[in-house]
Amino acid sequence: MLIFAKARLVFLSVPKTGTTAWEKALAPVADIVVNDPPELKHAPVFRYNRFFRPMVDKFIGEDVEIIATIREPISWLGSWYRYRRRPFMQDRPNNTYNVSFDDFVDAYCRGDRPDFANVGAQSKFVEPAGNGTCVTRFFRYEDQPALHAFLEDRLQQRIGLTRENVSPQMPLELSEATEAKLRRKCAAEFTLYQSI
């Protein structure tokens, strides 16, 4: 999470949406950088509302804009799948080494997800808090130029961006049946993405 006082801006760090690259590029000009532990770096709206919003409201103002990037749901799951196949994950119980992408997505669709498929949901991450705290502007991960232009304009400076924390490329195949199941069981993810 990045907080910019003068720009009155909060940039939430939705996992697997390129926020590590933005953090690296913008940390030098951010007033608050939350990069660890992961539960705070990737604070969803409800956690931002509970722990950060009171401080932001008091010292920066109540009219800050909260932004977040959302990734196309199948691509987002593919990024998680590939991330959990990295070498450092091999001995962890939530690795995807012996799981196909189709099986990973099928497991994600279950009510009781196994560890390897328990990656949360973008729609839950950005779900508005009970008091109305919510993301005020969304960007699609697939449209980085729009986010880039917005941030350069808002922060009044040029921003150089590098690729960071990139998972290994690999073919990801999803059967029609599994994709249909995902679209049915996780409709909120697709609705959110289409609304942006």
Side-chain angles (χ1 to χ4, degrees):
M1 180 191 321
L2 299 167
I3 300 175
F4 306 89
K6 185 178 175 185
R8 305 180 88 73
L9 183 68
V10 174
F11 189 172
L12 296 181
S13 183
V14 180
K16 310 314 294 168
T17 62
T19 52
T20 300
W22 285 108
E23 178 186 298
K24 182 176 180 184
L26 299 175
V29 297
D31 297 294
I32 299 173
V33 178
V34 183
N35 59 14
D36 216 19
E39 295 79 14
L40 292 181
K41 173 184 177 175
H42 297 295
V45 169
F46 82 86
R47 195 168 292 137
Y48 165 79
N49 181 58
R50 181 172 179 195
F51 297 108
F52 296 97
R53 185 199 47 79
M55 172 187 63
V56 169
D57 285 357
K58 180 170 178 128
F59 297 107
I60 298 174
E62 296 181 13
D63 59 341
V64 300
E65 187 165 17
I66 301 171
I67 67 170
T69 304
I70 299 297
R71 190 169 185 165
E72 189 283 324
I74 296 171
S75 173
W76 184 75
L77 288 170
S79 184
W80 270 114
Y81 174 80
R82 290 181 290 115
Y83 176 81
R84 291 188 166 184
R85 287 183 68 107
R86 285 181 166 188
F88 75 90
M89 293 291 297
Q90 193 160 8
D91 295 325
R92 297 186 184 186
N94 58 348
N95 76 66
T96 56
Y97 270 79
N98 297 311
V99 179
S100 71
F101 182 57
D102 198 76
D103 288 341
F104 173 79
V105 173
D106 184 66
Y108 181 79
C109 292
R110 296 182 203 160
D112 185 19
R113 294 175 181 148
D115 286 345
F116 68 82
N118 193 10
V119 297
Q122 293 179 104
S123 63
K124 291 300 284 180
F125 188 99
V126 299
E127 186 175 64
N131 66 353
T133 300
C134 62
V135 173
T136 51
R137 186 184 301 244
F138 288 102
F139 294 89
R140 284 187 173 189
Y141 168 84
E142 293 77 10
D143 187 7
Q144 291 295 312
L147 176 58
H148 205 140
F150 170 82
L151 288 168
E152 285 191 339
D153 181 62
R154 189 65 170 264
L155 301 175
Q156 294 294 291
Q157 69 175 60
R158 303 282 296 157
I159 300 169
L161 196 63
T162 57
R163 292 191 58 161
E164 302 292 328
N165 198 25
V166 179
S167 297
Q169 291 298 316
M170 63 185 66
L172 299 176
E173 296 191 17
L174 197 58
S175 69
E176 287 183 20
T178 301
E179 181 175 342
K181 182 178 184 180
L182 174 67
R183 289 180 180 279
R184 185 179 70 253
K185 295 213 170 230
C186 302
E189 304 308 304
F190 293 93
T191 300
L192 170 63
Y193 184 75
Q194 290 304 319
S195 73
I196 299 169

